Amino acid sequence: MGLTVTTQQRDRAVRVGVDGDIDIATRDELDSGLFGAIASTGTGLVEVDLTGVLFIDSSGIAVLLKNRRRAEEAGVRFRVVAASDLAERILRVCGVWRLLNEGLE
């Protein structure tokens, strides 16, 4: 399965919706979508919705962490606001869930 990355202005945030598998074959598409959201936000907040993510591997996690750092350097808040059960479980097992959704728990 491929990956779909969508962005939309929502209230005072840019919401990035991600659907499909995040792996080595799709990581560049995710990276591009997140980079664009960070670069274009006038709101200072990027919210990532992983509800539609069916699979995520270490390359996908690396992209999320890279863009969190990129956002921080640009003065933009970046957080995962929702995730499928599988994606959340993987992010928790890897120890990055709390870092990626700071302020929500």
Side-chain angles (χ1 to χ4, degrees):
M1 174 168 198
L3 186 72
T4 303
V5 180
T6 58
T7 59
Q8 73 178 119
Q9 187 70 36
R10 189 170 181 191
D11 297 323
R12 296 181 314 210
V14 174
R15 169 91 38 138
V16 179
V18 185
D19 294 297
D21 296 340
I22 305 172
D23 57 23
I24 197 163
T26 61
R27 69 178 178 199
D28 291 340
E29 187 173 348
L30 177 61
D31 189 46
S32 178
L34 293 173
F35 176 78
I38 293 165
S40 69
T41 185
T43 63
L45 174 61
V46 172
E47 298 178 331
V48 183
D49 183 345
L50 302 176
T51 304
V53 171
L54 306 173
F55 175 80
I56 183 168
D57 71 5
S58 61
S59 63
I61 294 168
V63 168
L64 290 171
L65 293 172
K66 169 184 166 183
N67 280 281
R68 182 190 178 280
R69 185 181 68 245
R70 181 183 277 160
E72 186 176 304
E73 290 170 355
V76 173
R77 291 178 299 147
F78 179 97
R79 60 186 179 204
V80 173
V81 294
S84 65
D85 290 341
L86 176 68
E88 182 177 340
R89 188 167 52 248
I90 291 169
L91 294 172
R92 283 186 185 277
V93 167
C94 292
V96 299
W97 176 253
R98 192 176 248 192
L99 179 65
L100 289 171
N101 71 10
E102 278 182 327
L104 294 178
E105 287 196 324

